[in-house]
Amino acid sequence: MVIGENISSDNCILKFQDYEDNLYLYDSKSNCIFKYSDIVEDILTSNIVREKDLVSEQLRKKYPAADIDKQMEAYSKLLPNRKSRENSNRAVFDSLWLNVSHKCNLRCVYCYGGDGTYGTHKPLMSIDDAKQTIDYWYQRLDKSAEEATITFFGGEPTINKTVIAFSLGYLNDLLYGKIPVKYKITTNGTIMDEELLKLLKNNNFSITVSIDGDEENHNKNRPFSNGDGSFRKAIDTILLMQENNIYNITARLTIVHKNARHLEDNVKMLWGLGIKSIALNMVASLEDEYKITNDDIKCLRDQIHNLALEMYNHKNISIYNFKLYGYLLYNRMNNNCLFYSDKNLLVETNGDVYRCHRLVGNHEFVIGNIYENSDFLKEKYSTEANNEKCRSCWANKLCTSCPQINYLYNNNLDEPYDVYCDFNKLLIEEGIKLYTTVQTQKKE
């Protein structure tokens, strides 16, 4: 078998080399990485879950019985126990997503939100809307959750600074002393003033700023509504936040066909400007000018590998995607898309509830409205991708798929788009290699 390819689609195993040329196996069933040996490979590629006795009998023909028993017992303990889900029709949440603005001052060429309006008719969430939404969520909050997560989104959310400020004050009063809270915001970085700086800093926000690489590429992709480029303003805002001791900032770089061949240069340029964390995102567009192709995926492979090596060799820079995979692997956790979560309440400006922010505006995907004051049945939430291709893929524990991308390209939420799968597997495989090398070398 070729290093870096799936050993068996039935067993979801990836065979790979770390950066020191050591050979490992990643097993998605247990979400664990194993030092390679023939016996470990044979155990991982067998149907130990369903046919333990038969597998043991077959392996005993090749290996000493004591070795088989030891390895199989150890592996069996790593397999997750499937917990039955609560049989309750009442929604219980631990995260809240507020689309506070359906207005935007940019006109990004690939915007899935229709210039930030999502085709909806209420541009801004009001204070009353925000209070009603927060009350609805708080009444159904899982008070035993380790943490509550609140995300402000748009459009451009900072256009509605008044509602952000109100929501923060109201939420802090409700949650103080009850449950820790993490605040997040995604912004184009072109609107910033002293009040916003204070809100972001005092509430310890995790901030994502959209920047598409160098000034030329960014300005082509993300111009202001008058056609002017937004790069310099976004960079200045990031540097201003850092000057004010706000450091939990990630730049999200959307990869399009035009800039795919320059990804490595663009990331290094952003690192050089002092932006230490970069998240890589593949564009969702049907236009040939922007859509990522199979040839683009091929040219991204070496660039993504080189960026991982840069991160390995320099502690103060990172690719967010790789850090996420390392966190998930270290804690043996699955990646989680909000679309497949029944713990998140996502509400847009008029109170409509959706499962995914990228599907806002498409009424086919409205699952309720907070003004109806009714619980959303858990049956309306699917908790995993409903297709065999994902279930049989070695990356299924670390990949979230993307229902909106599936729907855009295949007109089916559950049918994976091959190019997006290949893009994710590039990132995940490199993330696994990086994590394994770091853990082996005891290097932070």
Side-chain angles (χ1 to χ4, degrees), residues 43-241:
I43 288 175
L44 294 183
T45 54
S46 65
N47 271 321
I48 186 174
V49 176
R50 295 192 298 270
E51 303 172 0
K52 185 174 181 179
D53 293 338
L54 178 60
V55 169
S56 179
E57 181 181 340
Q58 292 173 339
L59 292 178
R60 287 174 195 276
K61 298 174 182 177
K62 295 178 64 176
Y63 307 105
D67 292 349
I68 295 295
D69 293 340
K70 179 180 178 181
Q71 295 285 356
M72 289 184 67
E73 181 182 3
Y75 179 62
S76 296
K77 290 179 180 178
L78 293 173
L79 294 173
N81 294 320
R82 286 197 170 273
K83 297 179 180 179
S84 59
R85 299 178 62 81
E86 295 180 8
N87 184 20
S88 171
N89 286 335
R90 189 176 189 274
V92 179
F93 303 115
D94 62 15
S95 64
L96 174 63
W97 185 294
L98 294 170
N99 266 34
V100 295
S101 169
H102 283 183
K103 291 177 67 176
C104 189
N105 57 335
L106 300 191
R107 293 296 179 266
C108 301
V109 294
Y110 49 68
C111 183
Y112 56 75
D115 294 336
T117 69
Y118 296 91
T120 58
H121 303 292
K122 188 170 184 179
L124 298 177
M125 181 178 282
S126 68
I127 287 178
D128 287 342
D129 295 330
K131 183 178 184 303
Q132 178 81 7
T133 300
I134 292 168
D135 287 342
Y136 184 97
W137 174 79
Y138 183 72
Q139 291 167 11
R140 295 155 180 82
L141 173 65
D142 180 3
K143 304 300 194 299
S144 66
E146 293 182 3
E147 183 178 67
T149 302
I150 316 295
T151 300
F152 295 95
F153 203 77
E156 173 49 41
T158 58
I159 288 176
N160 201 357
K161 179 177 65 175
T162 300
V163 164
I164 293 176
F166 165 80
S167 299
L168 290 170
Y170 191 53
L171 283 160
N172 287 338
D173 287 343
L174 285 174
L175 298 175
Y176 180 76
K178 299 181 179 70
I179 184 172
V181 59
K182 176 188 290 183
Y183 290 112
K184 299 181 178 181
I185 190 168
T186 296
T187 174
N188 61 37
T190 63
I191 300 172
M192 187 55 62
D193 59 25
E194 187 174 338
E195 183 181 2
L196 276 170
L197 280 172
K198 188 177 295 185
L199 289 171
L200 296 174
K201 182 176 181 179
N202 291 347
N203 291 281
N204 196 27
F205 266 80
S206 294
I207 304 160
T208 299
V209 182
S210 299
I211 298 183
D212 284 0
D214 63 29
E215 187 163 2
E216 180 182 0
N217 280 296
H218 178 95
N219 287 342
K220 286 179 179 177
N221 291 347
R222 306 182 60 80
F224 282 107
S225 57
N226 66 2
D228 291 345
S230 62
F231 177 84
R232 183 46 53 192
K233 183 64 177 174
I235 294 295
D236 288 346
T237 293
I238 291 177
L239 297 179
L240 177 64
M241 288 191 289

Side-chain angles (χ1 to χ4, degrees), residues 8-67:
S8 166
S9 61
D10 294 330
N11 295 287
C12 303
I13 313 296
L14 176 73
K15 191 175 187 178
F16 68 95
Q17 287 178 320
D18 70 1
Y19 299 157
E20 303 296 331
D21 295 327
N22 300 305
L23 195 56
Y24 291 88
L25 296 165
Y26 168 70
D27 169 54
S28 70
K29 288 181 182 177
S30 60
N31 202 14
C32 289
I33 296 166
F34 300 86
K35 185 85 174 185
Y36 179 84
S37 70
D38 290 340
I39 187 173
V40 170
E41 180 173 357
D42 283 345
I43 288 175
L44 294 183
T45 54
S46 65
N47 271 321
I48 186 174
V49 176
R50 295 192 298 270
E51 303 172 0
K52 185 174 181 179
D53 293 338
L54 178 60
V55 169
S56 179
E57 181 181 340
Q58 292 173 339
L59 292 178
R60 287 174 195 276
K61 298 174 182 177
K62 295 178 64 176
Y63 307 105
D67 292 349

Side-chain angles (χ1 to χ4, degrees), residues 400-424:
T400 63
S401 184
C402 178
Q404 185 266 342
I405 284 181
N406 298 343
Y407 188 79
L408 177 70
Y409 291 103
N410 296 327
N411 199 34
N412 185 327
L413 294 170
D414 294 317
E415 182 182 343
Y417 176 51
D418 288 342
V419 174
Y420 188 65
C421 291
D422 292 341
F423 173 74
N424 272 332

